[in-house]
Short mmCIF file of all heavy atoms in Angstrom, two decimals:
data_model
loop_
_atom_site.label_atom_id
_atom_site.label_comp_id
_atom_site.label_asym_id
_atom_site.label_seq_id
_atom_site.Cartn_x
_atom_site.Cartn_y
_atom_site.Cartn_z
N ARG A 1 81.23 112.88 109.95
CA ARG A 1 82.53 113.53 109.81
C ARG A 1 83.45 112.83 108.82
O ARG A 1 84.34 113.45 108.28
CB ARG A 1 83.21 113.65 111.16
CG ARG A 1 83.56 112.33 111.79
CD ARG A 1 84.21 112.55 113.14
NE ARG A 1 84.40 111.32 113.84
CZ ARG A 1 85.40 110.49 113.63
NH1 ARG A 1 86.30 110.76 112.73
NH2 ARG A 1 85.49 109.37 114.31
N THR A 2 83.23 111.54 108.57
CA THR A 2 84.13 110.83 107.67
C THR A 2 83.52 110.56 106.31
O THR A 2 84.20 110.04 105.45
CB THR A 2 84.54 109.49 108.29
OG1 THR A 2 83.37 108.74 108.53
CG2 THR A 2 85.32 109.69 109.56
N SER A 3 82.29 110.89 106.08
CA SER A 3 81.64 110.53 104.82
C SER A 3 82.36 111.10 103.61
O SER A 3 82.46 110.45 102.60
CB SER A 3 80.18 111.00 104.81
OG SER A 3 79.45 110.27 105.75
N ARG A 4 82.83 112.33 103.68
CA ARG A 4 83.50 112.92 102.54
C ARG A 4 84.76 112.13 102.19
O ARG A 4 85.02 111.80 101.05
CB ARG A 4 83.85 114.38 102.80
CG ARG A 4 84.14 115.10 101.49
CD ARG A 4 84.43 116.56 101.72
NE ARG A 4 85.85 116.73 101.43
CZ ARG A 4 86.74 117.27 102.21
NH1 ARG A 4 86.39 117.76 103.36
NH2 ARG A 4 87.99 117.36 101.86
N GLY A 5 85.53 111.76 103.20
CA GLY A 5 86.74 110.99 102.97
C GLY A 5 86.44 109.61 102.41
O GLY A 5 87.18 109.10 101.58
N ILE A 6 85.37 109.00 102.86
CA ILE A 6 84.99 107.69 102.36
C ILE A 6 84.62 107.78 100.89
O ILE A 6 85.13 107.05 100.07
CB ILE A 6 83.81 107.12 103.17
CG1 ILE A 6 84.24 106.82 104.59
CG2 ILE A 6 83.25 105.87 102.51
CD1 ILE A 6 83.11 106.53 105.51
N ALA A 7 83.73 108.67 100.57
CA ALA A 7 83.20 108.74 99.22
C ALA A 7 84.24 109.23 98.21
O ALA A 7 84.12 108.94 97.03
CB ALA A 7 81.98 109.64 99.18
N GLU A 8 85.26 109.95 98.64
CA GLU A 8 86.28 110.41 97.71
C GLU A 8 87.02 109.26 97.06
O GLU A 8 87.51 109.38 95.96
CB GLU A 8 87.29 111.31 98.43
CG GLU A 8 86.77 112.68 98.71
CD GLU A 8 87.74 113.51 99.53
OE1 GLU A 8 88.81 113.00 99.90
OE2 GLU A 8 87.41 114.66 99.81
N LYS A 9 87.11 108.14 97.73
CA LYS A 9 87.90 107.02 97.22
C LYS A 9 87.06 105.94 96.56
O LYS A 9 87.59 105.01 96.01
CB LYS A 9 88.69 106.39 98.37
CG LYS A 9 89.58 107.37 99.09
CD LYS A 9 90.62 107.93 98.17
CE LYS A 9 91.51 108.89 98.94
NZ LYS A 9 92.47 109.54 98.11
N ILE A 10 85.74 106.02 96.62
CA ILE A 10 84.89 104.99 96.04
C ILE A 10 84.52 105.39 94.62
O ILE A 10 83.98 106.45 94.40
CB ILE A 10 83.60 104.82 96.86
CG1 ILE A 10 83.92 104.40 98.28
CG2 ILE A 10 82.67 103.82 96.21
CD1 ILE A 10 82.73 104.32 99.17
N THR A 11 84.82 104.53 93.67
CA THR A 11 84.45 104.80 92.28
C THR A 11 84.00 103.51 91.62
O THR A 11 84.42 102.42 92.00
CB THR A 11 85.62 105.38 91.47
OG1 THR A 11 86.70 104.46 91.50
CG2 THR A 11 86.06 106.73 92.00
N ALA A 12 83.15 103.64 90.65
CA ALA A 12 82.73 102.50 89.85
C ALA A 12 83.01 102.85 88.40
O ALA A 12 82.85 103.99 87.99
CB ALA A 12 81.24 102.21 90.05
N THR A 13 83.45 101.86 87.63
CA THR A 13 83.75 102.13 86.24
C THR A 13 82.48 102.08 85.40
O THR A 13 81.49 101.52 85.81
CB THR A 13 84.75 101.08 85.70
OG1 THR A 13 84.16 99.79 85.87
CG2 THR A 13 86.05 101.15 86.46
N GLY A 14 82.57 102.67 84.24
CA GLY A 14 81.44 102.63 83.31
C GLY A 14 80.75 103.97 83.22
O GLY A 14 80.36 104.53 84.23
N PRO A 15 80.62 104.49 82.01
CA PRO A 15 80.04 105.82 81.84
C PRO A 15 78.60 105.94 82.32
O PRO A 15 78.20 106.97 82.79
CB PRO A 15 80.15 106.07 80.34
CG PRO A 15 80.34 104.72 79.74
CD PRO A 15 81.00 103.87 80.77
N LEU A 16 77.82 104.86 82.24
CA LEU A 16 76.42 104.95 82.67
C LEU A 16 76.32 105.28 84.15
O LEU A 16 75.56 106.16 84.55
CB LEU A 16 75.68 103.64 82.37
CG LEU A 16 74.23 103.60 82.85
CD1 LEU A 16 73.40 104.62 82.08
CD2 LEU A 16 73.66 102.22 82.68
N TRP A 17 77.11 104.60 84.98
CA TRP A 17 77.02 104.83 86.42
C TRP A 17 77.48 106.23 86.78
O TRP A 17 76.90 106.88 87.61
CB TRP A 17 77.84 103.80 87.19
CG TRP A 17 77.35 102.42 86.95
CD1 TRP A 17 78.05 101.40 86.37
CD2 TRP A 17 76.05 101.90 87.21
NE1 TRP A 17 77.27 100.29 86.28
CE2 TRP A 17 76.04 100.56 86.79
CE3 TRP A 17 74.90 102.45 87.76
CZ2 TRP A 17 74.91 99.75 86.92
CZ3 TRP A 17 73.79 101.63 87.88
CH2 TRP A 17 73.80 100.32 87.46
N VAL A 18 78.54 106.70 86.13
CA VAL A 18 79.04 108.05 86.41
C VAL A 18 77.99 109.08 86.00
O VAL A 18 77.70 110.01 86.73
CB VAL A 18 80.37 108.29 85.67
CG1 VAL A 18 80.82 109.73 85.81
CG2 VAL A 18 81.44 107.34 86.19
N LYS A 19 77.38 108.87 84.84
CA LYS A 19 76.35 109.79 84.35
C LYS A 19 75.12 109.76 85.27
O LYS A 19 74.58 110.79 85.64
CB LYS A 19 75.94 109.39 82.93
CG LYS A 19 75.37 110.52 82.11
CD LYS A 19 74.96 110.07 80.72
CE LYS A 19 76.10 109.43 79.98
NZ LYS A 19 75.75 108.99 78.63
N GLU A 20 74.67 108.56 85.65
CA GLU A 20 73.52 108.43 86.55
C GLU A 20 73.81 109.09 87.89
O GLU A 20 72.98 109.79 88.44
CB GLU A 20 73.18 106.95 86.80
CG GLU A 20 72.49 106.28 85.66
CD GLU A 20 71.05 106.72 85.51
OE1 GLU A 20 70.49 107.34 86.42
OE2 GLU A 20 70.48 106.45 84.46
N ALA A 21 75.00 108.87 88.41
CA ALA A 21 75.35 109.44 89.71
C ALA A 21 75.37 110.96 89.65
O ALA A 21 74.92 111.63 90.57
CB ALA A 21 76.70 108.91 90.18
N ALA A 22 75.90 111.50 88.57
CA ALA A 22 75.97 112.96 88.43
C ALA A 22 74.56 113.57 88.40
O ALA A 22 74.31 114.60 89.03
CB ALA A 22 76.74 113.34 87.18
N THR A 23 73.63 112.91 87.72
CA THR A 23 72.27 113.45 87.68
C THR A 23 71.57 113.27 89.01
O THR A 23 70.61 113.96 89.31
CB THR A 23 71.42 112.77 86.57
OG1 THR A 23 71.32 111.38 86.84
CG2 THR A 23 72.00 113.02 85.20
N ASN A 24 72.04 112.36 89.83
CA ASN A 24 71.43 112.10 91.12
C ASN A 24 72.08 112.89 92.25
O ASN A 24 71.76 112.68 93.41
CB ASN A 24 71.48 110.61 91.46
CG ASN A 24 70.66 109.81 90.51
OD1 ASN A 24 69.73 110.32 89.91
ND2 ASN A 24 71.01 108.56 90.34
N GLY A 25 73.02 113.75 91.94
CA GLY A 25 73.65 114.57 92.97
C GLY A 25 74.87 113.94 93.60
O GLY A 25 75.36 114.41 94.61
N SER A 26 75.40 112.86 93.05
CA SER A 26 76.57 112.20 93.61
C SER A 26 77.60 112.00 92.52
O SER A 26 77.28 111.63 91.40
CB SER A 26 76.18 110.84 94.19
OG SER A 26 77.32 110.16 94.63
N ASN A 27 78.87 112.25 92.83
CA ASN A 27 79.92 112.02 91.84
C ASN A 27 80.83 110.86 92.22
O ASN A 27 81.77 110.57 91.53
CB ASN A 27 80.74 113.29 91.61
CG ASN A 27 81.40 113.78 92.89
OD1 ASN A 27 81.21 113.20 93.95
ND2 ASN A 27 82.17 114.84 92.78
N ARG A 28 80.58 110.18 93.31
CA ARG A 28 81.36 109.02 93.73
C ARG A 28 80.39 107.87 93.99
O ARG A 28 79.51 107.98 94.84
CB ARG A 28 82.13 109.31 95.02
CG ARG A 28 82.99 110.53 94.97
CD ARG A 28 84.29 110.25 94.25
NE ARG A 28 85.23 111.32 94.49
CZ ARG A 28 85.63 112.13 93.55
NH1 ARG A 28 85.20 112.03 92.34
NH2 ARG A 28 86.51 113.08 93.84
N VAL A 29 80.58 106.78 93.25
CA VAL A 29 79.67 105.65 93.40
C VAL A 29 80.45 104.34 93.45
O VAL A 29 81.60 104.26 93.01
CB VAL A 29 78.64 105.57 92.24
CG1 VAL A 29 77.71 106.75 92.27
CG2 VAL A 29 79.32 105.46 90.91
N SER A 30 79.82 103.31 94.00
CA SER A 30 80.39 101.97 94.02
C SER A 30 79.25 100.97 94.20
O SER A 30 78.21 101.29 94.75
CB SER A 30 81.37 101.83 95.18
OG SER A 30 81.92 100.52 95.19
#
């Protein structure tokens, strides 16, 4: 029930991680 709220606030900088996460089905990474 809380996973969405948790992941909304977790981010990592750097275009590679954002790009990798997007291809892996996730848009919030840390």
Side-chain angles (χ1 to χ4, degrees):
R1 65 181 172 82
T2 59
S3 293
R4 198 177 110 233
I6 293 168
E8 284 175 358
K9 303 298 181 184
I10 299 175
T11 59
T13 58
L16 177 65
W17 299 118
V18 173
K19 205 181 304 181
E20 285 287 346
T23 61
N24 295 335
S26 175
N27 59 357
R28 306 280 194 247
V29 294
S30 180

